[in-house]
Amino acid sequence: MPKIEIDGKPVEVPAGTNLVEAAKLLNIEIPTYCYHPGLTVVGSCRMCQVEMEQNGRTSVVLGCNTPAADGMKVITTSEKVHTLRASALEFLLQNHPLDCPICDDAGECDLQNYYMRYGLHDSRVNLLDKIHKHKVHDVGPTVVLDSERCVLCSRCVRFCREVAGVDELGIFGHGMQSELMNPPGKRLENDYSGNVVDLCPVGALTDKDFRFKRRVWYMERTPSVCTGCSRGCNINIDWEIERRYKDPQRRIQRLKPRYNRMVNEWWMCDRGRYGYHAVDAPDRLTAPHTRSETNGQGALTVDLVLQRAAAKIKAAVSKNGPKSVAVIASPHSSNEDLFLLKSLFVDTLKVDTIDINVSKEETGKQDEILMKADLTPNRRGAEEFGFHSGKNGGMSGDDILSGALDGDYDVLIVVHHDLSRLMGPKELAKLDQRCDYILYLGTHENGTVPVADDVIPLAMSAEREASYTNFEGRVQKTAKPFEPRGQARDEWSIWQDLAQLLGIPWKYASAADVFDAMGNSVPSFKGLTWEGLGNSGKMLAGVPEPAYRKVQSSKPLPAY
Amino acid sequence: MSATPNVSGGVRFLSRNFGLPGQTGIESAMKRGAYEMLKRAVAMKPEDVTALVKASGLRGHGGAGFSAGMKWSFVPKDKFPRYVCVNADESEPGTCKDRLILEYDPHLLLEGALICAFAVQAERIYIYIRGEYFYPWRVMEQAIAEARAKGLIGQNILGTGWSCDVQLATGAGQYICGEETGLIESLEGKKGWPRLKPPFYPAAIGLWGKPTIVNNVETLSFVPRIFEIGAEAFAGMGSPKNGGTGLFSLSGCVKNPGVYELPMGTPLQTLLYDLGGGICGNRKLKALIPGGSSSHILKAEECENLKLDFESVAAAGSMLGSAAVMAIDESVSIPRLTLWMARFYAHESCGQCTPCREGTGWILRLVTRILEGRGRKRDVDDLFQIADNIDGKTICALGQAVAWPTKSYVTKFRHEFDALVKE
Ligand code: SF4
Ligand code: SF4
Ligand code: SF4
Ligand code: FES
């Protein structure tokens, strides 16, 4: 482990660490454009130049291309370093259009930031001398390029080649005419295209989904986890609810990947990135529905629905035993939801006709980068609670459904699954007839809603605190940026209220409460606490941390 | 291309066969001794070959003037395969001497390259020819085919058990592909973007990450001659630390421009006046560019006693570079010269690193503005400062190649710029 000194402060870093990373450990910023820790080093922007003294000699080196070596003394605050940075900035700004007032990146732009920190020079350039390039260039379905803003750092090019393994962007021409473009016949359309926008240190690449929607300084940021598939990429939710004049429904403005070395590093896929629209989609279920009378008790509330459900369950169990109640739960539910569901139905009511799995589950594209075919975030968690598709002697979701069609149950509870995807309209009508009471808990209008006797709207993962166990056994939590839409509720709180109505005195105040109780009673969650999950999650008890894996295509293309 | 090359008047050591009938064909070349030195070299131990070249004081004639033998000895011991790249991407303005070797004595180059390949035990030689050099390409293509037919290229060369192939390659005509790592990138089929240093030496990590010796055409062509007369005699031909002769491309305001072969360390006056015939129109020499367009300009008085070798030119404040000597007489405007130079470098910057990409264009626009009469006084200072901001801050030497001339033009001929700008 080399020991070095940066601005007089000693630091010891693993061999091979470059000066930029070493400085980060001391909270010292070495500004960079082309360098990104997840990509190969090209050293082209020249922003990271620092002075370095070694063996009695001082020289100017690139922070990004200089590995720390014992005894190095690095200086980042000298007049000389300041001049070098200012000069690199001056070059980059020479032809820059400075359209910050209309640029999405303003507020999080490294040209702006570094200019304020290291530049602050007056322009020596005659405005009319600036060269012009393509202004609104459509490089692919998700991203727009403004060539004039591009500082030609080649981060986006390297991302496509090295991480996504595709040749969809390149720098063409030479000298001052150099320009980022799609190679002939190509478009930026890989499954990870949105990452180039995050990588772009300036506003050259902007996200069509976010373009002109919000100034970044109005947004709040909440750390969360993507629930788009069983990988569980760490994300930040950028949201804004005060200024919704453009799109009154839209609370989430964008999702950004959040670094987690063991899960997704700096990246996320487009499926996850743009999947958030479902949260504020017009077909969200925001209020309970019912097919029966409300008995003149005023507006329908979730509590009313729960009272009816409790009565139905009580009646069914006392008349025909626990076998007359069946539950099709969901791997979309969180650990807390499934824990309380299991505690109530399996442990207390002794219902064993309960499972999460149905064979006609929707699956997605899978690759070796991030995307998993399993589009649910918590199948592994559900399995830890014993939902195993009949493997442990119980019944699978398919068995339950066919039983329901045979009229085996008085009460059928369905969470998230859309029955109309699992059976045709005729069967659905039959199910409606054969079941005395169908309770549906879901997030969106779908084909199940019309056949359910009662419907309870559920909060989505972006609206709640919840924990999910990814396919490898990593338990990660989401934070809650804002309240769920309308009367939508946290699923675990539904089970708690139902339990209370059935005479079980649960008093969990939060997901954290439920989680900590789980840590005490479920073996694979032993020792885990809500606090302890931190920002990057924890492995299930007894599941070893998997080996570090660089997130990248199995067929990366060389840097250039 | 004229039938006889203009190398008259100087010495005829390297160039002795230039223009002789049939010399590009292998039969006549061999009659005059081609490949005899290869035979001598392959009978030696490879490391002795390198030692001999080192002892000869042979310097790189491509521009940097680095000791050739030293470069060869940088090849790491256990890393294979190894390659030799012949840099025939001659593009430095003013330089036109490698072309003569390619066109008039291709077998001399091939022999030198093969000796080098043997010394470093390379399995393949790439000859990277500048995109615009169509005719030299054809001559080389022919020469390679002939040498291959004679068993001088290919498997088990001269019964030594050592095999080496030769392949011709060409760029699309970009100056930057003459930079050795730009050349390597281009050879690998990529954009000719010079590589980031460190690693500094392709000898350790070069083509496809393997040890690679990149040498200029002229440098390699000297190797058979060293074997012929011995390292000591070769070293004795030049000046201290500068072995042998050199091909000097003389251009600019001289009566007899051309390529002249002279012993290293020959006085400039000999080249300029005895061979070059003096300045056009018998005007006075105003300034001199001694080593291609990227070298510092020298005022006439700074080069009165100049000797043409690497150390002497460096001591005078410039560099011998590719030995392209350009004479500039009183009638030439230095700001116009700056424009010409800036135009070239702005066009040829590969665009990879910020200071060069943006700086070359900026310099060009500033000079243009000054020459169009729109210049402000501060533009002259800016010109110098922008060049200074490029100098030494770039990935490859193209940054210096534009910064050095610009800075020296502005410093030494400031009054000419000032005369063009308004207060
Ligand atoms: S990229 Fe956008 S925000 Fe940044 S300096 Fe340019 S115009 Fe302004
Ligand atoms: S578009 Fe952005 S990321 Fe890509 S090269 Fe330009 S500045 Fe860099
Ligand atoms: S100095 Fe110029 S030519 Fe060399 S790498 Fe940088 S941009 Fe390219
Ligand atoms: S960050 Fe080091 S040169 Fe760009």
Side-chain angles (χ1 to χ4, degrees), chain A residues 145 150-156 180 200-202 204-205:
Chain A
L145 164 70
C150 171
V151 295
L152 295 163
C153 70
S154 86
R155 278 188 188 185
C156 55
L180 183 79
C200 184
V202 296
L205 294 172

Side-chain angles (χ1 to χ4, degrees), chain B residues 195-308:
Chain B
R195 289 183 180 172
L196 183 60
K197 290 102 189 157
F200 287 102
Y201 300 111
I205 302 172
L207 190 60
W208 293 300
K210 300 290 185 277
T212 306
I213 297 297
V214 187
N215 269 145
N216 156 267
V217 168
E218 184 186 349
T219 316
L220 288 171
S221 301
F222 272 116
V223 173
R225 296 286 191 264
I226 295 172
F227 277 77
E228 197 175 295
I229 64 168
E232 226 167 89
F234 185 82
M237 279 177 85
S239 54
K241 293 202 229 157
N242 289 256
T245 62
L247 297 181
F248 292 84
S249 320
L250 180 64
S251 65
C253 317
V254 286
K255 287 182 184 151
N256 306 322
V259 176
Y260 297 91
E261 182 171 3
L262 294 168
M264 296 302 283
T266 303
L268 169 72
Q269 303 296 329
T270 312
L271 176 67
L272 215 51
Y273 294 99
D274 301 351
L275 302 171
I279 308 302
C280 300
N282 293 327
R283 284 186 292 268
K284 260 179 60 197
L285 182 73
K286 171 156 99 179
L288 184 93
I289 298 173
S293 58
S294 43
S295 52
H296 290 91
I297 200 165
L298 296 175
K299 287 175 147 180
E301 56 268 30
E302 287 175 300
C303 47
E304 262 160 25
N305 300 311
L306 190 67
K307 285 202 169 59
L308 295 171

Side-chain angles (χ1 to χ4, degrees), chain A residues 46 94 129 171 174-175 560, chain B residues 174 190-191 349 365 393:
Chain A
R46 317 310 270 188
Q94 189 203 168
D129 277 353
I171 294 173
H174 51 119
Y560 222 32
Chain B
Q174 253 215 305
K190 304 185 220 158
K191 191 170 176 174
S349 164
R365 280 178 302 186
K393 281 110 189 158

Side-chain angles (χ1 to χ4, degrees), chain A residues 65-348:
Chain A
N65 194 40
T66 309
D70 242 342
M72 276 182 177
K73 287 198 172 70
V74 180
I75 303 136
T76 75
T77 49
S78 63
E79 190 58 38
K80 176 149 192 187
V81 173
H82 187 85
T83 316
L84 287 166
R85 289 173 181 170
S87 137
L89 272 169
E90 190 186 24
F91 281 133
L92 288 174
L93 284 164
Q94 189 203 168
N95 289 307
H96 199 82
L98 294 182
D99 36 28
C100 310
I102 52 147
C103 177
D104 276 334
D105 214 39
E108 53 184 14
C109 165
D110 285 343
L111 263 183
Q112 288 186 328
N113 293 343
Y114 294 159
Y115 175 80
M116 296 310 288
R117 264 173 254 168
Y118 311 114
L120 286 178
H121 54 270
D122 291 329
S123 175
R124 295 194 265 185
V125 184
N126 186 337
L127 267 184
L128 297 175
D129 277 353
K130 291 201 181 225
I131 57 166
H132 294 287
K133 297 182 185 172
H134 291 88
K135 207 56 195 156
V136 190
H137 189 67
D138 188 34
V139 287
T142 56
V143 175
V144 178
L145 164 70
D146 182 326
S147 272
E148 292 191 342
R149 295 180 192 155
C150 171
V151 295
L152 295 163
C153 70
S154 86
R155 278 188 188 185
C156 55
V157 178
R158 279 173 284 147
F159 173 82
C160 287
R161 300 179 63 92
E162 297 170 12
V163 180
V166 295
D167 180 23
E168 291 175 350
L169 288 175
I171 294 173
F172 298 87
H174 51 119
M176 255 196 333
Q177 308 301 329
S178 304
E179 197 166 350
L180 183 79
M181 283 284 140
N182 299 112
K186 300 270 178 63
R187 302 246 302 150
L188 176 68
E189 53 195 358
N190 66 76
D191 296 318
Y192 297 86
S193 65
N195 291 290
V196 300
V197 178
D198 313 337
L199 278 170
C200 184
V202 296
L205 294 172
T206 48
D207 198 323
K208 285 184 186 169
D209 186 60
F210 179 69
R211 216 166 130 76
F212 305 136
K213 292 290 187 297
R214 232 29 123 236
R215 304 287 10 191
V216 299
W217 50 84
Y218 289 138
M219 296 193 300
E220 308 273 349
R221 170 161 283 193
T222 305
S224 191
V225 172
C226 175
T227 49
C229 81
S230 61
R231 173 80 60 189
C233 290
N234 291 203
I235 56 169
N236 282 314
I237 299 178
D238 288 348
W239 55 278
E240 211 268 301
I241 47 183
E242 293 300 314
R243 298 169 179 77
R244 281 188 276 160
Y245 42 81
K246 272 220 158 180
D247 179 355
Q249 290 302 311
R250 180 164 169 159
R251 295 174 299 171
I252 298 179
Q253 302 305 330
R254 63 180 185 187
L255 302 184
K256 288 277 184 187
R258 179 166 61 88
Y259 178 71
N260 186 330
R261 181 170 184 267
M262 300 310 290
V263 182
N264 55 314
E265 298 201 289
W266 302 267
W267 327 120
M268 72 186 294
C269 78
D270 289 354
R271 194 168 69 191
R273 185 184 298 264
Y274 304 116
Y276 73 84
H277 286 283
V279 178
D280 291 325
D283 60 348
R284 259 309 282 283
L285 289 173
T286 53
H289 288 218
T290 189
R291 292 202 298 196
S292 35
E293 295 303 315
T294 50
N295 300 333
Q297 290 181 23
L300 185 65
T301 62
V302 173
D303 288 340
L304 280 181
V305 169
L306 280 176
Q307 280 166 22
R308 185 156 50 231
K312 289 279 184 192
I313 292 168
K314 227 184 251 169
V317 174
S318 60
K319 196 164 141 220
N320 297 322
K323 287 227 174 312
S324 61
V325 176
V327 185
I328 304 180
S330 166
H332 282 283
S333 302
S334 74
N335 291 319
E336 300 75 35
D337 304 338
L338 291 165
F339 171 64
L340 288 196
L341 176 78
K342 178 195 168 244
S343 306
L344 175 61
F345 285 93
V346 182
D347 302 344
T348 314

